[in-house]
């Protein structure tokens, strides 16, 4: 039974928002819980959009965080297909696009991120895609199936996780694929050149062509359809479809217009370790849009991965309930490409490490890579090696120096290095 003594509003009906609503009820909150989302679909998980759902292996229903009937059973008020357009922090009110005004005692912003757009001529042509939402995946999946039947050419701008996973899906359909990437290797800023080479070899072995050191500068077509793309080094590539996979930007315009502080370095909504806004004690942020102070890392970070939404939503919900919260989980993500599966734990952005140590057979590939700084493990990535995530995270959390030779030695248990 719901009483109206307190009202918690959650803006953003993705994984973080849905898990926050779930946690509020699980922790005994009996007030109103209102979940607002600008998509018409019920909250769903996004990782499969560039993996199993895109390549046709995963069913649509399996993406849902909860079955639709769950929200009514748990007395979660849904406003789907309805954007929040204004936050009045003084009045403690949120205004929706249709004019509905929602009062709140505590507000959670789980507004996520949006794909960065290609700002080049030709983006209005049919066959130019982005990938962030279920509707995007449906459109892209239809195009990949068509390109596969017709032996068509797909050009992907960007060699990051989305670009590479989409390339693997496109090859599964039979499409020809070219990836245009300004860095000298895929995932260069995330994994560095050492591991970037692994993904170059992996995709090249599956027929993907790479064009490194170049940016897409134009898309040309005829009768509204894509025919080719141009790059800033004067090259032209045939294309019957284009995917822009050049990263994502946090959706913070609503927060900024409400006067909430944004983190200068990451662009996210500045929150403390409990995910409470540094500007307003009644406003919280979680997921892709939040730039949270990380107690272990000693800095504010913004993480765009599934696990951060999965765990950040519940952490913010507990903080909204007045619980003592310190959201110190290590960043974690996973990827599946062809027959390669990986998990990554830790935080080792470009320039932060001075050594990469590999344990196992990189050529197979079946190994764990570690990123170190001054002998301390910053992050680890297990590739086709399973049930090692906890040990890797323990190594990162310990903060102690390790012997790189012993770290690389398969005969030495990882637990012995703690």
């Amino acid at each position: 039974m719901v009483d109206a003594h307190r009202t918690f509003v959650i803006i953003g009906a993705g994984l973080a928002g849905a898990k926050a609503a779930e946690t509020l009820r699980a922790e005994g909150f009996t007030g109103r819980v209102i979940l607002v989302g600008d998509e018409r679909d019920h909250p769903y998980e996004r990782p499969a959009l560039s993996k199993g759902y895109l390549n046709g292996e995963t069913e649509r229903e399996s993406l849902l965080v909860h079955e639709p009937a769950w929200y009514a059973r748990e007395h979660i008020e849904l406003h789907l297909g309805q954007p929040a357009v204004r936050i009045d922090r003084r009045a403690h009110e949120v205004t929706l696009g249709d004019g509905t005004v929602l009062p709140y005692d505590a507000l959670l912003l789980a507004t996520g991120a949006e794909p960065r757009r290609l700002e080049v001529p030709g983006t209005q042509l049919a066959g130019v895609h982005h990938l962030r939402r279920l509707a995007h995946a449906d459109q892209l999946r239809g195009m990949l199936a068509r390109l596969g039947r017709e032996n068509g050419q797909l050009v992907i701008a960007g060699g990051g996780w989305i670009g590479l996973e989409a390339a693997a899906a496109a090859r599964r359909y039979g499409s020809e694929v070219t990836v245009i990437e300004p860095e000298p290797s895929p995932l260069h800023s995330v994994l560095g050149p050492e591991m970037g080479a692994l993904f170059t070899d992996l995709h090249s072995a599956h027929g993907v062509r790479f064009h490194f050191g170049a940016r897409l500068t134009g898309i040309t077509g005829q009768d509204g359809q894509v025919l080719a793309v141009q790059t800033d080094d004067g090259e032209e590539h045939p294309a019957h479809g284009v995917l822009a996979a050049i990263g994502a930007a946090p959706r913070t315009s609503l927060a900024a217009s409400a006067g909430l502080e944004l983190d200068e370095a990451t662009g996210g909504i500045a929150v403390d370790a409990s995910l409470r806004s540094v500007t307003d004690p009644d406003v919280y942020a979680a997921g892709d849009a939040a730039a949270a102070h990380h107690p272990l890392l000693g800095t504010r970070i913004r993480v765009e991965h599934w696990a951060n939404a999965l765990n950040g939503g519940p952490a913010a919900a507990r903080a909204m309930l007045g619980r003592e919260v310190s959201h110190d989980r290590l960043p974690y993500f996973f990827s599946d490409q062809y027959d390669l599966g990986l998990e990554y734990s830790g935080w080792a952005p470009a320039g932060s490490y001075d050594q990469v140590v590999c344990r196992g057979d990189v050529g197979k590939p079946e190994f764990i890579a570690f990123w170190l700084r001054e002998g301390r493990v910053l992050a680890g990535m297990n590739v086709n090696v399973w049930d090692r995530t906890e040990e890797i995270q323990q190594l990162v959390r310990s903060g102690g120096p390790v012997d790189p030779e012993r770290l690389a030695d398969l005969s030495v248990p990882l637990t012995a290095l703690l």
Side-chain angles (χ1 to χ4, degrees):
M1 194 68 184
V2 175
D3 58 57
H5 70 291
R6 296 181 78 194
T7 298
F8 288 175
V9 173
I10 302 167
I11 300 177
L15 178 59
K19 296 302 286 187
E22 175 188 329
T23 302
L24 290 173
R25 289 294 185 236
E27 296 279 334
F29 181 66
T30 58
R32 293 177 70 192
V33 176
I34 304 174
L35 184 59
V36 178
D38 60 2
E39 295 184 67
R40 295 191 181 278
D41 295 293
H42 282 76
Y44 59 88
E45 301 191 36
R46 298 186 191 277
L49 299 187
S50 58
K51 302 180 181 70
Y53 186 73
L54 186 60
N55 66 33
E57 291 181 333
T58 302
E59 295 296 326
R60 189 185 188 92
E61 291 72 23
S62 68
L63 305 183
L64 296 178
V65 182
H66 300 291
E67 61 171 329
W70 177 88
Y71 298 92
R73 289 200 304 269
E74 295 296 325
H75 303 287
I76 310 295
E77 301 175 40
L78 287 177
H79 290 264
L80 298 178
Q82 195 56 248
V85 297
R86 183 171 181 266
I87 299 169
D88 186 334
R89 293 195 290 117
R90 178 172 295 180
H92 278 61
E93 292 177 342
V94 173
T95 302
L96 305 186
D98 65 356
T100 300
V101 177
L102 304 173
Y104 70 84
D105 294 287
L107 173 66
L108 172 59
L109 299 177
T111 46
E114 59 188 351
R116 298 186 188 278
R117 306 290 173 173
L118 282 170
E119 297 182 357
V120 303
T123 54
Q124 80 286 352
L125 293 168
V128 179
H129 293 263
H130 298 83
L131 181 56
R132 174 70 187 180
R133 301 185 171 206
L134 191 49
H136 295 156
D138 287 336
Q139 294 167 3
L140 182 58
R141 190 160 73 165
M143 184 185 73
L144 293 183
R146 178 177 58 80
L147 293 182
R149 291 192 302 270
E150 300 173 358
N151 198 31
Q153 302 274 351
L154 173 69
V155 169
I156 300 175
W161 296 114
I162 296 295
L164 294 187
E165 289 172 358
R171 291 299 295 145
R172 181 185 178 93
Y173 283 101
S175 170
E176 298 296 316
V177 179
T178 299
V179 175
I180 297 172
E181 167 57 49
E183 297 289 351
S185 65
L187 300 166
H188 191 83
S189 62
V190 181
L191 303 181
E194 301 87 353
M195 290 298 106
L198 168 74
F199 288 92
T200 301
D201 294 343
L202 172 70
H203 283 270
S204 296
H206 284 84
V208 174
R209 293 180 293 272
F210 287 98
H211 186 179
F212 293 121
R215 297 178 187 275
L216 193 152
T217 55
I219 306 168
T220 54
Q222 186 175 4
D223 299 327
Q225 302 298 314
V226 172
L227 289 180
V229 304
Q230 295 78 39
T231 54
D232 59 2
D233 58 358
E235 294 287 328
E236 182 169 88
H237 299 271
H240 305 104
V242 175
L243 171 64
I246 55 175
R251 300 181 69 197
T252 56
S253 59
L254 187 66
S257 64
L260 296 170
E261 181 180 331
L262 304 184
D263 178 60
E264 186 175 341
T266 66
I269 303 166
V271 295
D272 62 19
S274 71
L275 305 184
R276 187 193 299 261
S277 164
V278 300
T279 308
D280 187 327
D282 294 329
V283 180
Y284 301 76
D288 293 2
H293 177 76
H294 197 287
L296 179 65
L297 302 176
T299 188
R300 185 170 283 134
I301 64 173
R302 190 178 71 82
V303 180
E304 294 180 357
H305 297 298
W306 166 84
N308 185 48
L310 178 72
N311 299 307
R318 294 185 182 100
M320 293 166 77
L321 293 170
R323 312 279 197 267
E324 199 70 34
V325 171
S326 180
H327 186 51
D328 63 352
R329 286 180 177 265
L330 285 175
Y332 164 91
F333 62 84
F334 68 95
S335 183
D336 298 305
Q337 300 169 38
Y338 311 111
D339 56 354
L340 183 148
L342 67 87
E343 298 173 290
Y344 178 105
S345 297
W347 188 252
S352 67
Y353 61 92
D354 54 32
Q355 186 178 12
V356 177
V357 173
C358 291
R359 174 189 182 94
D361 188 345
V362 177
K364 199 171 182 177
E366 193 173 295
F367 67 96
I368 306 175
F370 295 95
W371 286 260
L372 282 68
R373 183 178 64 222
E374 298 177 353
R376 290 170 168 79
V377 178
L378 302 180
M381 180 177 72
N382 45 305
V383 177
N384 290 341
V385 175
W386 307 111
D387 302 321
R388 291 292 181 270
T389 297
E390 185 175 343
E391 295 169 4
I392 293 169
Q393 294 197 359
Q394 287 176 349
L395 276 173
V396 176
R397 285 187 169 279
S398 71
V402 298
D403 180 346
E405 290 188 6
R406 297 187 72 214
L407 184 63
D409 189 342
L410 285 170
S411 70
V412 178
L414 290 178
T415 51
L417 300 168
L418 292 171

